[in-house]
Amino acid sequence: MTSPPLHCLRCGVLVTGFTGCPECAAEGLGVNAAPPLADLSGLSLERYPGGPWGWPGALPVSAGPVTLGEGGTPNVRIPLADAGAGELWVKTEGANPTGSHKDRAMSVGVAAALDAGADTVVAASSGNAGTAAAAYAARAGLRCVVLTARGVPDPLRAQIDALGAARVERDDHVARNAAMREGVERLGWYPLTTFAQPPAGGNAYANEGYKSVAYEIARDFGERIGAVVVPTCRADLLAGIGRGFRELRAAGLVSRTPRLVAAEPATGAPYTAALARTGRSAQEHTTVERGPSPAFSLGESRPVWQGLDALWRSAGHAVAVPTEEFMAEHRALGAQGLFVEPSSAVGVAAGRRWAYEHGEPVVVIGTATGLKDIASVPAGKAEERVPEVTRLTA
Ligand SMILES: [Zn+2]
């Protein structure tokens, strides 16, 4: 069966392929396309089982399910010192099969590849998307190519290799994207991520898998959440969550939806810079300097349009978090039993601020397990934690 058509989120033109809108790209803007919103009327949130395949009719695919049990992730409450503050919750996407939120997208993206009759999928990623693509391609019996830049962290390399994908290194992101374009255009591979410049966001069918995050939050918390905080770079997750809430509201399953908050490292915070400007055109064309950050999966020099759209539609906000603040949050989360990637700690730090400033319940999307990026974790001193270890004689 053919997949539904994709239209530009900004100008509405019909878009083919997964490199964003060519009309908007001519204006220098990376704008993703999307299928029509799904009609959820008649469904019951109480009976929603969670995950992208919990409501398969809300997905723009006919193949599938391609599933490893993704979604339905736990909500963990983080205690706040001040009783007058709101509530701080972390939705732990690290509990997904390959350890990140990307599983929700890749389970749907691989089904879309089956719809398209593909035998090989390709993802350009040195992070969570590559491992998720490898897992779901394996599950569906498709071949998978993961294009990485040099220096992919060991845990990710091992995960990609164990899952049977062909891992191909290129020197940098430019070379990686060029190889991906060739794989798609000359070799006929199905793209699960994008190689577009300016970046517009990921595969528009795959991104529909993120709507399930909104469905789960609405099912688990009702309408009492004031804000959902999302660590944001190219904004696939942020935009997908926004679309999920719009569908819920259009179907009357909720009467109000939370504000969306983009959390970014202060070393590269284009959404924060954009929203500080006046007028949509100025916001769209924002550029910032980008520095190195331990939150290696975040950081862009420009806002991606689908993210701005999600923030505008929800009367949302963006928060830039300095490195020392989110690394302190990373330690605070460890003290609560949560080991997340530094990018997730950026979100929790932003969510903590929001809970104190607004006094309302906040859900932060903890995007991935900390096991993906172990190099940024400082070694712990055993004798400071349990002094008696110095008295061990054996
Ligand atoms: Zn457009």
Side-chain angles (χ1 to χ4, degrees), residues 1-4 35 53 56-66 107-115 190 203 205-206 208:
M1 197 177 123
T2 55
S3 303
W53 300 99
L59 298 176
V61 292
S62 51
V66 181
S107 68
V108 179
V110 167
L114 292 173
D115 279 347
Y190 184 88
N203 181 298
Y205 298 124
E208 295 292 282

Side-chain angles (χ1 to χ4, degrees), residues 76-82 85-89 329 332-333 335-336 338 352 356:
V76 178
R77 188 166 179 179
I78 306 298
L80 297 175
D82 179 354
E87 299 166 24
L88 180 60
W89 294 84
E329 188 69 69
L333 290 169
Q336 288 295 323
L338 291 181
R352 187 182 292 271
Y356 275 103

Side-chain angles (χ1 to χ4, degrees), residues 8 10-13 21 23-24 31:
C8 173
R10 180 172 175 267
C11 74
V13 29
C21 172
E23 307 277 332
C24 290
V31 184

Side-chain angles (χ1 to χ4, degrees), residues 110-271:
V110 167
L114 292 173
D115 279 347
D119 64 6
T120 306
V121 296
V122 59
S125 164
S126 297
N128 298 321
T131 57
Y136 287 89
R139 190 72 175 160
L142 299 181
R143 303 190 308 168
C144 180
V145 179
V146 179
L147 291 160
T148 71
R150 238 176 260 297
V152 58
D154 274 348
L156 292 162
R157 179 204 61 71
Q159 210 174 3
I160 294 164
D161 288 351
L163 293 166
R167 185 171 49 83
V168 179
E169 274 192 10
R170 288 291 180 268
D171 281 339
D172 55 31
H173 291 76
V174 175
R176 192 184 74 176
N177 286 344
M180 176 146 182
R181 177 184 291 276
E182 189 181 12
V184 172
E185 293 179 354
R186 193 163 68 81
L187 305 177
W189 299 343
Y190 184 88
L192 291 174
T193 64
T194 188
F195 48 84
Q197 285 300 330
N203 181 298
Y205 298 124
N207 284 351
E208 295 292 282
Y210 293 133
K211 298 187 301 188
S212 55
V213 174
Y215 308 158
E216 290 173 19
I217 291 171
R219 179 198 61 186
D220 296 346
F221 292 95
E223 300 182 7
R224 63 190 200 85
I225 296 299
V228 173
V229 181
V230 186
T232 296
C233 176
R234 295 188 177 173
D236 290 318
L237 178 59
L238 181 76
I241 293 172
R243 288 170 59 78
F245 278 121
R246 286 170 62 198
E247 290 178 350
L248 291 168
R249 190 163 181 169
L253 298 180
V254 297
S255 60
R256 67 178 286 272
T257 53
R259 297 169 80 169
L260 298 181
V261 177
E264 323 177 81
T267 47
Y271 297 92

